[in-house]
Amino acid sequence: MGTCYRDGVTGWGGLLNEIGGEREGDVLIVADGGVRLRLIEGREWNSLNGGNFPALLPDGGPEPLVVVLADIPVVFGGDGPLLVDLVEIPGRGVRVPSARLGEILTGLTDGALTFTDLVRDMDVCGMYQGDNGRAAFLAPTTLPPRRTLPPLPASDVSLLVRTCFDDEEGWRALLAELGGTNEDGWVGADLDMDEIDPDHFPLTALTVDDRVYEDLQPGQVPALVPPQEHTTLVALADARTFSEPGRPLTVVDLYDTPGQPAVLPCRMVGSLAGNLEIANMDFFEFIALEGVEPWWNGS
């Protein structure tokens, strides 16, 4: 499916050539494995993100395993296509090398691969590497229970969602460390720009304090973000937030690799949000790898 359009024309970049195979009308028969992909084009799909697609599935009929997206990183960055999970944890994503798409889709279809296998073996940039991949952050081996969750609030900045309710005092301390909330539940809404430390830019976010999101997992987040607003990121205040130094938040990518988490001290989340908003840095640059000293520890 194409989600990047210019002057009403679908952008595929070099993806179709890289995949290889034979095209029959709007169907591409992928060379490796013979998987049949229906090519879907339409300006109504322009700029939709991976997490939006589970809600667009029609009722009835066979449930597809994944949707394959040719999005902005594919068209303008030459990245591999984004596969979006529609079954295990709908809305999470992983990129795959274009030349291996047929092999990977065949593995998903015949049960040799699961979507969790793809997520577990992706690199720090969200690209599946197979057995040679270095996981950016260990994916859970147990899938969260399927449950219907309400959409998160629409926001054109960031959301701070509480997912652990065992430490009320810790939650209040976290909000205080982030500058406190105003009457509408926002942190960082009334900043004095003259007092801001540019190396530790404060987070501006709408807080969500609702037990319905208890134990919400990163992979579940993208499907809950409304498409009406361009939400920058969602930060989860989970159990580690209230038990580890630095009050780390689990921040969730919504765009390049939906559902990919980055765990970083709460003081750094505002810097991540600010850099994403101005396209100065990529999400993966804030992911801390095991055994590698994070760059922000020296700041």
Side-chain angles (χ1 to χ4, degrees):
M1 179 175 289
T3 64
C4 181
Y5 293 78
R6 175 177 288 181
D7 299 326
V9 178
T10 311
W12 296 103
L15 179 62
L16 299 185
N17 290 333
E18 293 166 2
I19 292 174
E22 180 181 351
R23 185 165 180 174
E24 296 180 355
D26 65 351
V27 173
L28 179 67
I29 304 174
V30 183
D32 190 357
V35 174
R36 299 172 65 89
L37 294 176
R38 182 184 172 197
L39 304 179
I40 300 177
E41 303 176 79
R43 283 185 293 178
E44 65 270 28
W45 312 117
N46 188 38
S47 298
L48 283 178
N49 301 307
N52 301 145
F53 282 89
L56 300 176
L57 292 178
D59 294 329
E63 186 177 47
L65 296 176
V66 298
V67 62
V68 182
L69 300 187
D71 56 3
I72 289 176
V74 172
V75 176
F76 295 111
D79 286 358
L82 177 67
L83 269 60
V84 179
D85 189 359
L86 299 178
V87 177
E88 293 182 26
I89 305 180
R92 65 176 173 170
V94 62
R95 294 196 181 273
V96 302
S98 301
R100 297 187 62 186
L101 179 61
E103 164 207 336
I104 291 166
L105 291 178
T106 299
L108 290 172
T109 302
D110 64 20
L113 282 173
T114 67
F115 207 96
T116 296
D117 292 331
L118 303 183
V119 172
R120 183 177 56 245
D121 292 332
M122 69 184 182
D123 64 18
V124 68
C125 298
M127 180 68 72
Y128 172 66
Q129 300 290 350
D131 293 336
N132 296 320
R134 179 182 184 186
F137 191 76
L138 292 179
T141 56
T142 303
L143 297 177
R146 293 291 293 266
R147 55 178 175 148
T148 301
L149 293 167
L152 290 163
S155 171
D156 61 357
V157 284
S158 300
L159 297 175
L160 173 62
V161 182
R162 184 182 183 184
T163 68
C164 177
F165 292 81
D166 296 336
D167 188 346
E168 191 66 32
E169 183 177 342
W171 171 246
R172 291 196 299 269
L174 170 68
L175 298 180
E177 188 165 337
L178 294 173
T181 56
N182 66 11
E183 59 184 11
D184 296 318
W186 287 81
V187 293
D190 303 311
L191 300 176
D192 184 341
M193 300 303 291
D194 293 331
E195 297 182 0
I196 288 176
D197 179 356
D199 293 327
H200 299 107
F201 202 85
L203 175 66
T204 297
L206 176 62
T207 61
V208 180
D209 184 6
D210 188 332
R211 276 191 178 270
V212 72
Y213 298 112
E214 187 169 15
D215 296 326
L216 178 66
Q217 300 301 305
Q220 297 173 294
V221 168
L224 303 180
V225 176
Q228 295 87 351
E229 301 280 2
H230 187 87
T231 304
T232 304
L233 56 80
V234 174
L236 305 180
D238 52 23
R240 76 174 68 225
T241 304
F242 309 115
S243 62
E244 297 182 10
R247 302 191 191 281
L249 298 173
T250 299
V251 186
V252 183
D253 187 7
L254 303 177
Y255 301 103
D256 287 347
T257 313
Q260 184 177 24
V263 179
L264 60 160
C266 67
R267 65 183 176 85
M268 293 303 305
V269 177
S271 295
L272 170 55
N275 278 287
L276 292 179
E277 287 172 0
I278 63 174
N280 184 55
M281 296 179 73
D282 293 312
F283 186 92
F284 73 84
E285 295 179 79
F286 284 81
I287 295 176
L289 291 170
E290 184 179 357
V292 178
E293 185 75 8
W295 58 264
W296 60 77
N297 276 359
S299 64

